[in-house]
Amino acid sequence: MASTVPPLRLRALNRAPIRGDRSYVLYWMIGQRRIAWNFALDRAVERARALRRPLVILEALRCDYPWASLRHHRFALDGMRDHRKACAGLPVFHYPYVEPSPGAGRGLLEALAHGAAAVVTDDMPFFFFPRMLEAAARKLDVRLEAVDSHGLLPLRQPDRDFITAYSFRIHLHKHLLLHLGEMPRPTPMEEGSLPSAVGLGAEDGPLREILRRWRPASDDLLSAGAGLEEVAVSRAVAPVPFSGGPAAARRRLRHFLEQKLSRYDAERNDPDADVGSRLSPYLHWGHLSAHEIFQRLAEQEDWTPNRVDESVPKGRREGWWGMSPPSEAFLDELVTWREIGFNAWVRHGEAVEHYDSLPAWARETLADHEDDPRAHCYDLRAFDDAETHDPLWNAAQRELRTEGTIHNYLRMLWGKKILEWSVTPRDALEIMLELNNRYAVDGRDPNSTSGITWVLGRYDRGWPERDIYGKVRSMSSRSTRRKVSVARYLERFGESSS
Ligand SMILES: Cc1cc2nc3c(=O)[nH]c(=O)nc-3n(C[C@H](O)[C@H](O)[C@H](O)COP(=O)(O)OP(=O)(O)OC[C@H]3O[C@@H](n4cnc5c(N)ncnc54)[C@H](O)[C@@H]3O)c2cc1C
C-alpha cells in the first residue's frame, strides 16, 4: 500500500497478517490523543480506505497507570469530550472508554482486534507504554503497526546519543530540513471518502457485544464528570483550573502567537511577564501536535523552507531558521529541547531515569560533595507541603500543586533547590520525579525526565565548583529575584495565597 506516512515513522510490531475479510480498521489511540495532525491517524485512515473498511478509534483511559489521579483523568477526559463532539459529524466510530476499576478494561483491545482488518497505534517509547505495546503485539492475531507522531524529527532518525543540546542542534541543522516537508494531515478524515461507520454498534453490528461489555463513556462523564466519582482513581490531586483537549489547546496557541510570542526571547525567563506558551500539558497528552504549532508559526512568519540559512555555523541557536528572534527562540525549546528528551528514551528506555545514567562527570562531582553540610534539609513531605524556609520556592511548589505546571524559569530553580536541600542527590532525583509526576499535568513525559536530570547535570557542562553542587550548575533564589520580577508571582502563589 502506497503511504503518505514517512517510513521512518512506521513500525510493524508483529508479523500477523492484514485480515481483509474483517469488519473495520482499528486505531488504538494511546498517546497522540487528537484527530488532526497525527501520522498514526493518517495511517489508519489510509488502511481503512485501501481495505474499504470503516474506521474505529478506540480512545481508552486506564485507571491504574502510574500517578493516575483526578487531575490527569480530567485533562484526558476533556480531550475525549472534544473528540466525541468532532467525530459526531465524521464517518468514523469514536469509542471513548474509561476504565471504572483496575483491570476492567482487560480484554477490550483483543476483543476489538478480533473484528479488525488491521490495527494502528501510537509509537510510545516511554514509561509503561513499551511494555503495553509488546504485550499487545504478542496477543493480537492481526497486524499491529505503531506510528510516531511526536515531533518534527522522526524519533528513530538519529542513531546516536546526544550529550548536549548543542550537539543535538548540530544534528538538527544537518537533518531536519529533509523532514520539514513531511507533515501529517490537518483533517485526515475529511479529505476524501471513508467507508461509512454507521451500523457498527447496531443490534446486528460487529461491535454490539463489545459495547455491551465495555460500555463507552457517556457524554455526561466526558463533559461534566458525571459518574467520575465511581471511577477508581486517586482523589489526592484535584483537576487543574483550566480545560484540557484540542479546543483549549488551539485557543492557547492562538493567544500565545498573537499576544506573547513577540516578547518570548526577551521575557521568557520573567515569571511576572509569563510569556511562555503554556502548551506543555497539551503536547504531553497529545492534544496538540508540534507539527500544527510549527505550521501556525510558519504562517505567521510567512516562512518557507528556503529561508533556512545553511551558512549559519551548525549548532548556533540563532539564525538557522531565518525567522524572527522570538520565533527562533521558541523553536529552540519546542524542537531542540523537547526532542532531545525523546532521543534519550528511545535509545535507553527507562534507564534514563536512573541516577546511574547521569553523565560520569556529574556523578563524580556530586559524590565529592555529598557530605557537604546542608544549611537546610527537607524530606518529601516538607517539599510537598511547600514548607521550606524560602518563599519563592514555596510559591513554585504551590503553583505546581494548584496549576499543574511551574513557570519555566522557576521550574529550574525548583529542581536546583531540591538538589541543594535533599540529604543526597539520589534522594533529590526521587523527590523531583515523585512531585513532578504526581502534580504536573505535563508530567510523566520524556521532558519531565530531561528537565529533572538536567538539574543533576545532564545536557549541561561543568561550572565553577561550589558546595553541594560540585561542578553542576547551581541557582539561587536571591539572584533569581534580582534578575527577574516575581512580585506578582509571589502575590499569586506566595504564603498569603494559600
Ligand atoms: C525540574 C524540571 C522539570 C520539568 N518537567 C517537565 C515536565 O514534566 N513536562 C514538560 O513538558 N516539561 C518539563 N520541563 C521542561 C520545561 O520546564 C517545560 O517544558 C516548560 O516550562 C513548559 O512551559 P511552556 O509550555 O510555556 O514552554 P515554552 O517556553 O512555551 O516552550 C514550548 C514547548 O517547548 C518544550 N520545552 C520548553 N522548554 C523545555 C525544556 N527546558 N526542556 C524540554 N522541553 C521544553 C515544551 O514542550 C514546551 O511546551 C521541566 C524542566 C525542569 C527544569
Side-chain angles (χ1 to χ4, degrees):
M1 181 185 84
S3 175
T4 59
V5 175
L8 255 177
R9 293 183 181 269
L10 195 58
R11 287 194 302 149
L13 297 186
N14 62 10
R15 292 172 178 226
I18 302 289
R19 298 190 180 269
D21 55 333
R22 291 188 177 173
S23 306
Y24 44 81
V25 166
L26 177 64
Y27 171 30
W28 179 30
M29 183 190 270
I30 58 173
Q32 304 301 328
R33 291 171 175 259
R34 60 179 179 272
I35 57 164
W37 300 92
N38 179 351
F39 282 120
L41 178 58
D42 289 356
R43 177 68 172 178
V45 166
E46 279 175 8
R47 282 264 182 234
R49 287 202 179 112
L51 293 162
R52 299 203 176 87
R53 290 289 177 274
L55 178 63
V56 174
I57 299 178
L58 170 64
E59 187 177 7
L61 188 60
R62 288 167 59 162
C63 63
D64 61 348
Y65 57 90
W67 290 286
S69 71
L70 224 42
R71 170 165 297 181
H72 302 313
H73 251 54
R74 185 61 262 170
F75 207 82
L77 292 177
D78 289 346
M80 292 162 98
R81 170 204 61 204
D82 287 3
H83 298 149
R84 166 168 281 198
K85 198 166 156 207
C87 287
L90 293 169
V92 60
F93 190 93
H94 178 241
Y95 183 172
Y97 175 73
V98 179
E99 191 181 48
S101 56
R106 204 168 293 141
L108 169 58
L109 174 70
E110 267 174 289
L112 272 174
H114 277 310
V119 182
V120 178
T121 191
D122 304 313
D123 199 351
M124 299 292 290
F126 339 113
F127 296 94
F128 64 89
F129 291 110
R131 281 191 298 279
M132 187 170 89
L133 289 176
E134 273 165 33
R138 273 196 308 274
K139 277 189 221 151
L140 301 195
D141 69 346
V142 59
R143 177 77 52 84
L144 173 63
E145 293 174 314
V147 183
D148 153 28
S149 206
H150 289 279
L152 300 189
L153 190 71
L155 286 175
R156 291 184 168 71
Q157 190 280 333
D159 56 3
R160 50 167 288 216
D161 294 330
F162 298 96
I163 55 166
T164 59
Y166 174 71
S167 61
F168 186 51
R169 209 177 283 116
I170 293 179
H171 184 87
L172 288 171
H173 291 172
K174 282 191 191 150
H175 300 279
L176 188 60
L177 200 48
L178 199 64
H179 299 282
L180 287 180
E182 300 166 345
M183 293 294 239
R185 297 186 182 286
T187 50
M189 292 184 282
E190 290 155 43
E191 300 160 18
S193 62
L194 260 176
S196 167
V198 172
L200 284 178
E203 273 306 302
D204 56 350
L207 294 180
R208 191 190 56 149
E209 283 308 315
I210 296 176
L211 296 171
R212 209 168 269 173
R213 177 153 174 213
W214 292 279
R215 300 197 74 78
S218 68
D219 282 344
D220 286 347
L221 171 61
L222 297 185
S223 46
L228 192 52
E229 64 281 356
E230 275 145 45
V231 174
V233 68
S234 161
R235 264 66 197 152
V237 188
V240 288
F242 53 90
S243 181
R250 292 211 171 97
R251 282 196 297 275
R252 217 172 245 212
L253 173 60
R254 225 177 2 257
H255 178 71
F256 170 69
L257 293 175
E258 287 168 7
Q259 309 287 330
K260 295 178 166 188
L261 176 66
S262 60
R263 293 181 288 142
Y264 185 86
D265 54 335
E267 297 177 45
R268 178 186 185 233
N269 286 341
D270 197 322
D272 282 352
D274 196 21
V275 297
S277 70
R278 300 262 177 190
L279 289 172
S280 52
Y282 302 97
L283 283 161
H284 167 70
W285 283 96
H287 293 161
L288 188 66
S289 145
H291 285 95
E292 180 171 0
I293 300 175
F294 178 73
Q295 177 67 26
R296 299 287 167 251
L297 185 70
E299 283 164 11
Q300 183 155 313
E301 285 272 341
D302 205 10
W303 181 90
T304 52
N306 59 18
R307 292 253 298 271
V308 164
D309 186 350
E310 299 278 17
S311 70
V312 168
K314 301 266 179 290
R316 186 183 286 176
R317 205 176 336 184
E318 302 85 21
W320 184 79
W321 288 98
M323 291 197 193
S324 65
S327 294
E328 296 215 338
F330 177 69
L331 285 177
D332 199 51
E333 302 300 338
L334 180 74
V335 186
T336 312
W337 280 103
R338 178 167 178 268
E339 299 193 14
I340 198 174
F342 297 154
N343 173 259
W345 270 92
V346 169
R347 295 187 53 78
H348 302 285
E350 58 194 14
V352 293
E353 286 199 325
H354 300 166
Y355 191 82
D356 295 337
S357 74
L358 292 173
W361 70 266
R363 275 180 288 131
E364 273 162 31
T365 191
L366 289 170
D368 288 345
H369 289 269
E370 194 159 319
D371 295 329
D372 289 357
R374 270 98 171 127
H376 305 277
C377 211
Y378 302 104
D379 61 10
L380 175 63
R381 195 206 54 78
F383 281 121
D384 190 353
D385 291 343
E387 280 176 0
T388 77
H389 64 285
D390 181 342
L392 187 54
W393 192 92
N394 292 344
Q397 172 66 10
R398 279 196 207 94
E399 185 188 7
L400 179 62
R401 287 184 60 137
T402 55
E403 303 283 311
T405 55
I406 307 179
H407 178 276
N408 177 64
Y409 192 72
L410 296 179
R411 208 163 192 172
M412 296 191 267
L413 182 75
W414 176 87
K416 289 291 182 184
K417 292 291 140 185
I418 294 179
L419 169 58
E420 188 178 322
W421 302 331
S422 294
V423 178
T424 68
R426 280 178 195 269
D427 291 348
L429 175 60
E430 294 307 316
I431 290 170
M432 283 189 278
L433 286 171
E434 178 57 37
L435 293 180
N436 190 79
N437 291 345
R438 186 187 298 172
Y439 294 114
V441 72
D442 62 2
R444 302 165 307 108
D445 190 272
N447 285 325
S448 320
T449 318
S450 53
I452 286 167
T453 54
W454 171 86
V455 166
L456 298 161
R458 178 170 282 150
Y459 304 132
D460 210 353
R461 61 178 168 86
W463 290 74
E465 199 152 354
R466 291 199 40 185
D467 287 350
I468 304 171
Y469 291 90
K471 292 178 189 155
V472 168
R473 184 198 298 248
S474 65
M475 280 175 81
S476 92
S477 298
R478 196 179 315 147
S479 69
T480 300
R481 278 166 177 259
R482 254 201 330 267
K483 277 194 227 156
V484 296
S485 65
V486 294
R488 277 204 302 278
Y489 185 83
L490 283 171
E491 248 166 57
R492 193 159 166 220
F493 298 110
E495 307 287 328
S496 55
S497 68
S498 53

